[in-house]
Structures are given as structure tokens and as C-alpha cells.
Amino acid sequence: GKDLSGKSQVVLDAYHRALSRHPASPRATWARLRIGEVYKRLGFYYEALASLGILLDHYSPGPYHLEGRKKKAYCLLKVGRYRDAQGEYQTLSSVSLSESDWIEVTLGLAETALYLGEYQKALEAYQAVSKKAPQEIQSNPSILYLYGEALFKSRRFQEAREVLKGLIVRFPQ
């Protein structure tokens, strides 16, 4: 399995110590979010989900819940729990979001729909982002690839070919 780097372990230990000493501190939700972020960044998605679950289930809703829910949805997606991830992203899409949060959530909805075989939903989400923020699709090769895949799976072969050909031209390696 994976091992934590020394620095990451020190950071996690510090947050856990702070939480055990001051569990009712107003900063406890922030510390719990940070623990989830460290695990997520390292690819320890189950550990991140555990920490984010505690944040979302045991702390009163506050300023870190939106970020925690976005990270939870991402981790669920990464561990293949697509239906659960989709539910989280749908919950997020029902609240008022900044433009960057809307883009992140809509792309999450698109990816989960694609993996669940809901190709038309995926395509609609990618097109919504492409219309509102075309640079988000055009500047990211993995998103561009998934958009091309959604077109292909929706049997829009000519458009898929154009998108995927553009991907190869824009990102040759």
C-alpha cells in the first residue's frame, strides 16, 4: 500500500493532536477539512472520505461544509462510487455557487454521468461548461478527452472526432 511521506505524517499528527486537545474549538471544522485535504492530495481517498464524513455529519453546517462536500464528491468519484458522487454533486448544484464552484460541480456531474452510462446528461453538462467557460474545457486535456468520449458514446461521431483530433493537436504528448 501507499505510505505517507514524513512531512504529511507530521502535518496530520499535528491536526489530530489539535483536534483531540480542542474538539469543540471553532477551528475544529477547519482542521477536519485540512485532514481530508491532505489525504485527498496524497490519493488516500478512503481516509479523506472518513475525515470529510466526520466534518459533514458531526459538525454544524458552516463555512467549510461546501468545500468538504466538494472534496467528498471528488473522493467518491475516485473510488468508483459514482452514484454516491453524483448525489453529492447534485446536492451541491442545488445551492448558490460561485462560478468556479459551479464549473467544478458541473464537471463532476458530467464525469459521474459518463461513468454511469448517462451519456446525454454528461454531454449536456460538458456543453454547459463549454458555453459558460470554454477555456475550462479547452485547456484541460483530461476534460477534453471525457467530453470527446461523451460525444462518441452519444453517437455523435463527427463531433467526437473533431474534439479528439483537437486534443491531439493541442496536447501532442
Side-chain angles (χ1 to χ4, degrees), residues 127-139:
Q127 289 171 332
V129 172
S130 186
K131 184 176 183 177
K132 191 170 189 174
Q135 72 284 358
E136 292 296 325
I137 301 272
Q138 299 303 321
S139 66

Side-chain angles (χ1 to χ4, degrees), residues 115-137:
Y115 293 144
L116 289 168
E118 299 169 353
Y119 306 124
Q120 190 56 41
K121 266 189 194 176
L123 194 52
E124 288 168 7
Y126 284 123
Q127 289 171 332
V129 172
S130 186
K131 184 176 183 177
K132 191 170 189 174
Q135 72 284 358
E136 292 296 325
I137 301 272

Side-chain angles (χ1 to χ4, degrees), residues 10-168:
V10 169
V11 169
L12 288 168
D13 288 347
Y15 283 127
H16 283 293
R17 250 189 332 277
L19 280 171
S20 68
R21 290 181 185 155
H22 310 288
S25 164
R27 308 265 305 158
T29 54
W30 178 83
R32 186 60 63 192
L33 176 65
R34 294 294 299 143
I35 290 169
E37 285 175 348
V38 170
Y39 281 130
K40 174 186 168 273
R41 189 177 63 247
L42 293 169
F44 288 82
Y45 300 118
Y46 289 104
E47 291 83 351
L49 284 168
S51 183
L52 296 167
I54 293 169
L55 165 68
L56 296 169
D57 297 339
H58 299 291
Y59 290 90
S60 300
Y64 303 111
H65 274 68
L66 174 67
E67 204 56 39
R69 195 164 294 284
K70 287 190 318 181
K71 289 177 186 344
K72 179 181 179 187
Y74 177 85
C75 291
L76 288 166
L77 179 65
K78 287 301 188 182
V79 299
R81 291 176 52 192
Y82 305 127
R83 189 67 65 197
D84 293 333
Q86 187 179 55
E88 290 294 331
Y89 283 124
Q90 285 172 335
T91 297
L92 285 162
S93 71
S94 68
V95 299
S96 180
L97 299 168
S98 68
E99 183 172 332
S100 63
D101 286 339
W102 177 85
I103 291 167
E104 182 180 344
V105 166
T106 305
L107 288 173
L109 282 168
E111 193 169 348
T112 56
L114 182 64
Y115 293 144
L116 289 168
E118 299 169 353
Y119 306 124
Q120 190 56 41
K121 266 189 194 176
L123 194 52
E124 288 168 7
Y126 284 123
Q127 289 171 332
V129 172
S130 186
K131 184 176 183 177
K132 191 170 189 174
Q135 72 284 358
E136 292 296 325
I137 301 272
Q138 299 303 321
S139 66
N140 187 317
S142 45
I143 293 172
L144 201 53
Y145 174 80
L146 292 172
Y147 180 41
E149 186 177 350
L151 285 163
F152 182 82
K153 300 269 179 141
S154 297
R155 307 189 59 74
R156 294 170 63 174
F157 301 120
Q158 184 64 37
E159 292 169 89
R161 183 179 299 117
E162 289 171 25
V163 167
L164 295 171
K165 202 162 41 170
L167 172 66
I168 293 168

